[in-house]
Amino acid sequence: MNALATFALAYTGLSAMSQSMARHHAALVAYKVPRSPQLRIALRAGATACLMLALAAAMRHAGMAQGLLLWAGALTVAAPAVMLQLAYAPRTLRPGTGVAGAAGLLFALLGSL
């Protein structure tokens, strides 16, 4: 269960990080609204928190050495997933981020019981 939490949180973190970039933000919103600096900072902070939660879930599940390997593998799988979604279906990235974040937190909580 924590391996799924690791992947879901890694996907959420990388997705939030891409949404904080100006080029990807413009592709994600239907209307051209300038990005506020507060939104950019909040997205980057949320992305960092999700990536650290993914690392914590991986280390809790598999220990220190194998947890780092599991986290690196999750990042390796999540990065092309976010990239392909940005390239071919950018409007689905925002809802997908929310679903993956909620699922990741749920899996992490269920895995810690």
Side-chain angles (χ1 to χ4, degrees), residues 20-63:
S20 72
M21 298 176 193
R23 178 179 178 183
H24 300 308
H25 180 77
L28 293 174
V29 294
Y31 46 90
K32 300 300 177 200
V33 164
R35 219 172 22 120
S36 68
Q38 293 85 10
L39 176 64
R40 184 190 53 180
I41 291 170
L43 283 170
R44 286 184 181 172
T48 304
C50 283
L51 292 173
M52 291 300 107
L53 283 173
L55 178 60
M59 286 186 169
R60 182 178 176 113
H61 174 67

Side-chain angles (χ1 to χ4, degrees), residues 42-105:
L43 283 170
R44 286 184 181 172
T48 304
C50 283
L51 292 173
M52 291 300 107
L53 283 173
L55 178 60
M59 286 186 169
R60 182 178 176 113
H61 174 67
M64 178 72 133
Q66 292 175 344
L68 282 172
L69 185 64
L70 176 64
W71 182 64
L75 289 176
T76 301
V77 173
V82 171
M83 179 201 60
L84 289 172
Q85 196 167 5
L86 275 170
Y88 294 111
R91 302 289 164 110
T92 62
L93 189 66
R94 288 180 112 170
T97 302
V99 170
L105 290 176

Side-chain angles (χ1 to χ4, degrees), residues 4-5 7-9 11-12 94-107:
L4 289 174
F7 172 74
L9 289 169
Y11 174 85
T12 303
R94 288 180 112 170
T97 302
V99 170
L105 290 176
L106 179 67
F107 289 147

